[in-house]
């Protein structure tokens, strides 16, 4: 059979003329894979109905749309907001396109077309486009401080939006703008005669150019993406007088052994480098990226999948530096982590990347948005103390907010939720892979599957083959690493991709059972900040203890060493969650005085019940103390 | 008897016309108290012989001195460096003055007079003085952005230098400059007609004005200091569009229950407020400051006495947020902490403040300077991982440095070491108090004491009364809180001030014995970052484990639960330290993969010896992994 899809997802290699040269699997895109109900469908409908419309209002109120109108010659005034203001508009446009792809509506198309016309009008004759630079600095101001100006970053998000538009709505107007801009970049940057050797301080252009290459087949775009990836780590940013580590510019990508510096920049660059490695067949680069991902995953990732341990520089910390209280774990970093892992998964077929996506998606990412769908966390700590004072406008002690001065996260969440269908499944020459389990359908070439499940609350997944080709093909189901005792049609299935290769008949059913028993996990001893603590997990969900549910002060709450954990599904709690309860104890309360004494850890207080809810759902009732990691003992 | 001293220390209340209205004790100043040998004498001679001369060279190289010359009309050019550049010059001048007070030299006097003449020439006709503002913005630029401009901060350091000069050298030239500047401030700031209601974003002017009042008796200076203290917490900084917590401006000083925001700013303000409370007899304000100090000491202070848990904003964290790895613990914050504690000690006679000064002095402060005396840490972490990458110019992973772009710490260390004699002792109407133990002498009125000790390496302190008045008076000796089993002349002495009231004869000897047995301390359970760990202390010293001394990787080193700790004095190690050794073990090495598993904490590796050195001495051989807190088990 041939299951090659009409792939429409941003990370697809399937639509590319160079598809699969090293990539193993091709994505099943939005529209072919559909989420039709259950956990994620609720989030997606809130996203489409509330967040995206509200986002347009926020972009209007914050001046982002006005900047583009001014650059288009509509009205007069000065640019307002940060230098990367355009990028938030483009991320929002991308979200609108994917949303149309999964749920076409005239209203969405109208919003897209109106705004696209403004963007097109704002573009300079030679293809350059950045409304803030145009308004503030004019043509002479271009690329004067690329390390901070985000000009390529904005271009990258424009390109991603354009690709999503053409794939989901068929509209080519923004693609024309994107190609004109990309052609301008191709002419301007590189080490040829008269070209500029420079890189943007904030990667994303790399991923975008590869996608544009996949969409258009124009080799120049891939070449420039490769050039930007290879240019890093050769002193460009240090020569501008900046510390290179923050910008992922300390070492060439193919020589780095870890991720460092600003977390979002680091993972966006890695995702783009993965695209380049796949499309150019560069196995050495792919191997380096695999090593970096594994080092990140084993030493610099929170149990929630959150990335970035430091507020200072919004950065990765040193290895095993993972403080729960001062976790930065920016929502955008989880999104970038998902994008990177998805590209690695398609490139390698290694199930660790599917597991990683699941962990980031259900926890570090999803905590970034409220149950209501339109309020956001920028920073996602794993602990908040009761007395925490919000000393910063991004402080989680404020609770989620409708927008931010630096508003990168909200429209990034929107585009991720509206394109989420594209992360469910992939195809290969001989089969179909299911990576994430959600109620819905998967159409891969002539094969059509129906998926029924109440995941993540229940572990049963029923897959019905609704349409099939003749002859054998393989259905591959990801068995998560945590799912000890999983079965497929009653047979034991171990972690990794469980492969069923056979001939199929319409109506065939495969029953997957993932055991969701609560897991009590500890930390590698080198993770100093969570020594002596445990976290609770159930299925793909990491749990958290929130003050509103407790009998005692969360700041001094301990879990008893051998406490049994009881599970109960509560449809009325937080729109329906399975909560966990166990026996704990408190300390001895607020003893004053010097806290470092020979007997400092020996005090034991009264027993109490401890109630845990899924981490993603915290801070939806009130803002109070939070703990993912509980001291045990 | 009357032991009232010719107090010359910056924190003295003894020299003030309002002395002792609420203050209990008066300082014995530099020159009356002398450190003549031993531990601190070594640091002081390095400071005088190396650091202070090198500091002048650094101030020249960095442009600070040139700024003042330009403002004085000598040469032409633009101001360079940060807006607070003048303050580093004034701190250096203050250090020179105290240094002269303890060890008069023509060379020091010459340096002082030459530079003072430049400062005087730089002052504007109306008393204003800030070379950077004068050169960059002119007279119209004054006080336009006081939240960031540090104009009062620079004035405060000038005033402190002037007071030190007049006290230690008798020179009044800088005092004239200081009074002219202070008179200008008195005329300009306040809520009278035509005055400006504003505060400097960085406190220090408060302490300085009270000292100037003590020196000159001019009530206006005390009144303005009080006005600046009372003006805080009423929205001034928020009205300028800044988050007030960073600037200690969220709550009025007398209403705050803790310290927050930028640590140096917070403790400088608190120290100045203490001065105001003492000189105005404001018991309510003093009670608020006592509460704030106690909250800081019990919830926001590292075991080293280090202050400031966050790199972001160089700030205090929430209560019990004390990560060893990302400790900021700025050297200046320890200095400010000592200044505040010293004022609280004199005001209240509460021994906790003497204990606090000792802890900060021997650990959090002293780690800020190299054994060589002229290299400095800005940031003083309690843990550095082996793979730490220096991503910031203040990163301790660089090792100590000769200077910084923001060079607040080096001259602050210089002035603290050169005035250290002033922290040894105080007097009251009926006696003499010894707070810190160092080889030397104390002259308090007609009483003269000789102190002989090898502290902190040995716990014996021999005090000889060399001169005395007739009639009884009390000798009060601080018994540190850690010194269980201390004796005075063979009698048990409990923590606090041990008082011997009697008539004395020249030649009388008092023998104090402080037991220095190693203490293995844990943490209050609410200090999450050091759960399951212990630190080693001996006498006033906190210990640390440095990679260079170990058989195994410090990042994964554990102390065995009941390991006996052996002590040995090694005169050849780090210029002579008592080192500690105990049995430990390693983990199981660098297992790759996801670090959060049900059995994650169960792995135990081979036994090894663990060697600890005093924390202050780390990073004097090489820069490598460091731990103050070791996992136990």
């Amino acid at each position: 059979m041939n299951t090659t899809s009409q792939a429409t997802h941003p990370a697809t290699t399937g639509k590319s003329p160079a598809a699969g040269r090293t990539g193993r699997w091709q994505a099943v895109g939005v529209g072919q894979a559909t989420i039709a109900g259950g956990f994620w469908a609720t989030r997606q409908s809130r996203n489409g109905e509330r967040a995206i419309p509200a986002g347009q209002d926020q972009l209007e109120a914050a001046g982002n749309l006005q900047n583009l109108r001014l650059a288009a010659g509509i009205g007069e005034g000065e640019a307002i907001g940060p230098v990367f203001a355009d990028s938030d508009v483009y991320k929002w446009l991308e979200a609108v396109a994917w949303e149309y792809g999964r749920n076409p509506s005239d209203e969405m198309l109208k919003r897209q077309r109106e705004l696209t016309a403004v963007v097109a009008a704002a573009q300079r004759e030679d293809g350059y486009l950045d409304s803030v630079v145009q308004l503030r600095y004019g043509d002479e101001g271009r690329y004067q401080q690329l390390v901070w100006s985000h000009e390529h970053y904005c271009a990258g998000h424009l390109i991603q939006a354009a690709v999503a538009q053409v794939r989901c709505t068929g509209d080519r107007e923004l693609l024309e703008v994107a190609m004109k801009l990309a052609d301008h970049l191709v002419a301007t940057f590189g080490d040829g005669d008269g070209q500029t050797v420079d890189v943007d301080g904030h990667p994303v252009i790399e991923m975008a150019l590869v996608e544009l290459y996949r969409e258009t087949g124009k080799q120049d775009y891939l070449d420039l993406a490769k050039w930007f990836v290879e240019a890093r780590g050769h002193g460009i940013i240090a020569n501008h007088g900046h510390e290179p580590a923050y910008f992922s510019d300390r070492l060439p990508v193919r020589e780095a052994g870890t991720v460092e510096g600003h977390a979002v920049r680091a993972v966006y660059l890695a995702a783009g480098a993965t695209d380049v490695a796949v499309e150019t067949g560069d196995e050495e680069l792919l191997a380096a990226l695999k090593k970096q991902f594994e080092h990140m995953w084993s030493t610099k990732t929170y149990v929630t999948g959150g990335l970035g341990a430091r507020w200072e520089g919004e950065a990765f910390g040193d290895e095993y530096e993972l403080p729960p209280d001062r976790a930065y774990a920016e929502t955008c970093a989880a999104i970038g982590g998902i994008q990177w892992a998805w590209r690695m998964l398609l490139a390698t077929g290694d199930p660790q990347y599917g597991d990683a996506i699941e962990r980031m998606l259900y926890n570090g990412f999803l905590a970034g948005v409220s149950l209501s769908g339109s309020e956001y966390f920028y920073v996602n700590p794993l602990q908040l103390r009761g007395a925490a004072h919000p000393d910063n406008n991004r402080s989680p002690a404020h609770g989620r907010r409708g927008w931010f001065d630096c508003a990168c996260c909200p429209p990034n969440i929107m585009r991720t939720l509206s394109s989420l269908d594209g992360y469910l499944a992939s195809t290969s020459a001989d089969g179909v892979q299911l990576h994430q389990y959600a109620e819905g359908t998967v159409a891969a070439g002539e094969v059509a599957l129906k998926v029924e499940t109440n995941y993540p609350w229940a572990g049963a997944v029923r897959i019905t083959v609704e349409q099939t080709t003749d002859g054998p093909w393989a259905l591959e189901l990801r068995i998560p690493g945590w799912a000890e005792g999983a079965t497929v049609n009653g047979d034991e299935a171990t972690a990794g991709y469980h492969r069923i290769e056979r001939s199929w008949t319409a109506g065939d059913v495969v029953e997957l059972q993932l055991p969701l028993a609560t897991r009590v996990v500890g930390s590698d001893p080198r993770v100093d900040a969570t020594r002596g603590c445990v976290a609770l997990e159930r299925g793909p969900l990491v749990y958290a203890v929130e003050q509103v549910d407790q009998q005692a002060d969360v700041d001094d709450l301990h879990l008893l060493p051998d406490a049994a954990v009881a599970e109960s599904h509560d449809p009325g709690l937080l729109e329906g969650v399975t909560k966990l309860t166990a026996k704990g104890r408190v300390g001895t309360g607020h003893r004053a005085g010097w806290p470092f004494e020979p007997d400092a850890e020996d005090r034991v207080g009264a027993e109490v019940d401890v109630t845990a809810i899924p981490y993603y759902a915290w801070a939806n009732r009130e803002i109070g103390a939070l703990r993912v990691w509980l001291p045990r003992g």
Side-chain angles (χ1 to χ4, degrees), chain A residues 18 37-38 53 67 89 97 113 151 171 241 282 289 339 367 447 457 474 515 527 541 547 550 562:
Chain A
N67 286 346
V89 177
R113 286 176 176 170
E151 285 160 282
D171 280 5
D282 188 337
L289 291 160
Q339 292 176 345
V447 170
W457 309 123
V527 185
L541 298 174
Q547 189 62 59
Q550 312 311 319
D562 298 310

Side-chain angles (χ1 to χ4, degrees), chain A residues 106-161:
Chain A
D106 292 345
E107 170 64 21
M108 284 287 166
L109 209 56
K110 183 165 168 285
R111 287 172 186 261
Q112 172 183 302
R113 286 176 176 170
E114 284 172 2
L115 189 45
T116 295
V118 174
V119 173
Q123 186 168 37
R124 302 286 293 142
E125 198 59 42
D126 66 352
Y128 182 88
L129 177 49
D130 185 307
S131 75
V132 175
V133 171
Q134 289 167 221
L135 293 167
R136 283 197 189 137
Y137 312 112
D139 286 352
E140 289 66 43
R142 296 179 182 181
Y143 309 126
Q144 291 303 299
Q145 214 196 3
L146 195 48
V147 65
W148 280 123
S149 69
H150 291 72
E151 285 160 282
H152 291 176
Y153 174 80
C154 290
H157 281 299
L158 185 148
I159 292 168
Q160 291 182 329

Side-chain angles (χ1 to χ4, degrees), chain A residues 325-338:
Chain A
D325 47 2
R326 291 297 284 175
Y328 202 69
E330 184 179 337
T331 307
C332 285
I335 291 169
I338 291 166

